[in-house]
Amino acid sequence: MSTILSINNKLLSFRGRMSIGDENGEQLYDATGQFALFNPTWILRKRNQQIATVKRKMWPFWSLMWDIHSSIGDFQVKRKLFSWSRIYYVIGGKYDGAIIEGNFWDLKFSVTHQKKTIASAKGKILSIRDTHSIEVYDDESDSEIFTTIMMVVLQLDRRDESNNSE
């Protein structure tokens, strides 16, 4: 049985906040950015219990990487540069080799590991906030946590990119 998650990026929040809920609108996860001038650490919680931290690596400058420390293990996420669509690779941890691939308009994403689709996401074209519905196909709780972490990384990457273009 699959699980449907929904992530909302509250654009007007001072520090930044993302909430991830189920299909009934009940909040399951909450991601908040700690105040920092350049590179905040984001904390992902489930029912007020910290399950992960996400921080963009400032070095090396020629690639986009994030360090993740989580309840399912530590790993890195690297974005492939010079691609028409967003492609991310997971390095290390339980999901080593996982690929997260989006479409040109950043509205759809799929998360695959060992040729198995773990989750897919669809965004809404016209909405006041960034909202994505995520269907997690794998029943394992680690897959839900991993997918949630990856969606936070994707949202942070989009936010950084839009801030840099302004």
Side-chain angles (χ1 to χ4, degrees), residues 66-92:
W66 290 264
D67 281 326
I68 289 86
H69 301 284
S70 73
S71 61
I72 60 171
D74 298 343
F75 57 95
Q76 293 182 323
V77 176
K78 182 177 182 180
R79 179 176 168 193
K80 179 180 179 182
L81 297 177
F82 310 115
S83 175
W84 287 104
S85 62
R86 293 177 191 267
I87 301 173
Y88 302 83
Y89 300 98
V90 175
I91 303 164

Side-chain angles (χ1 to χ4, degrees), residues 34-47:
Q34 295 179 332
F35 182 74
L37 292 176
F38 296 108
N39 192 18
T41 298
W42 281 73
I43 298 174
L44 180 64
R45 291 181 178 87
K46 182 175 187 175
R47 296 184 189 102

Side-chain angles (χ1 to χ4, degrees), residues 107 123-129 131:
L107 297 175
K124 295 181 181 176
I125 296 173
L126 298 172
S127 71
I128 295 172
R129 348 172 151 165
T131 303

Side-chain angles (χ1 to χ4, degrees), residues 3-165:
T3 303
I4 306 289
L5 301 173
S6 178
I7 185 168
N8 293 317
N9 190 2
K10 296 180 182 174
L11 299 175
L12 300 177
S13 175
F14 176 66
R15 289 189 319 182
R17 179 178 219 102
M18 294 177 228
S19 61
I20 299 101
D22 63 11
E23 62 226 39
N24 300 321
E26 183 179 329
Q27 184 173 332
L28 300 175
Y29 301 91
D30 183 56
T32 54
Q34 295 179 332
F35 182 74
L37 292 176
F38 296 108
N39 192 18
T41 298
W42 281 73
I43 298 174
L44 180 64
R45 291 181 178 87
K46 182 175 187 175
R47 296 184 189 102
N48 293 324
Q49 181 178 3
Q50 182 175 321
I51 59 169
T53 60
V54 177
K55 186 167 182 144
R56 183 172 171 201
K57 288 183 96 170
M58 294 304 288
W59 181 266
F61 292 109
W62 58 86
S63 69
L64 297 174
M65 291 185 82
W66 290 264
D67 281 326
I68 289 86
H69 301 284
S70 73
S71 61
I72 60 171
D74 298 343
F75 57 95
Q76 293 182 323
V77 176
K78 182 177 182 180
R79 179 176 168 193
K80 179 180 179 182
L81 297 177
F82 310 115
S83 175
W84 287 104
S85 62
R86 293 177 191 267
I87 301 173
Y88 302 83
Y89 300 98
V90 175
I91 303 164
K94 179 178 180 177
Y95 292 94
D96 185 45
I99 299 172
I100 298 80
E101 191 167 6
N103 71 351
F104 182 74
W105 300 105
D106 287 340
L107 297 175
K108 296 181 183 179
F109 292 94
S110 64
V111 180
T112 57
H113 182 244
Q114 298 177 346
K115 298 183 182 180
K116 177 182 172 188
T117 301
I118 296 171
S120 63
K122 295 178 187 170
K124 295 181 181 176
I125 296 173
L126 298 172
S127 71
I128 295 172
R129 348 172 151 165
D130 281 345
T131 303
H132 282 79
S133 294
I134 308 148
E135 186 169 2
V136 182
Y137 304 111
D138 195 348
D139 290 335
E140 189 177 336
S141 65
D142 286 356
S143 294
E144 181 180 302
I145 292 170
F146 177 72
T147 301
T148 303
I149 292 168
M150 293 311 307
M151 292 312 294
V152 169
V153 168
L154 296 174
Q155 291 289 333
L156 292 175
D157 188 32
R158 286 185 62 210
R159 178 183 286 180
D160 288 348
E161 200 170 75
S162 68
N163 287 344
N164 290 338
S165 68

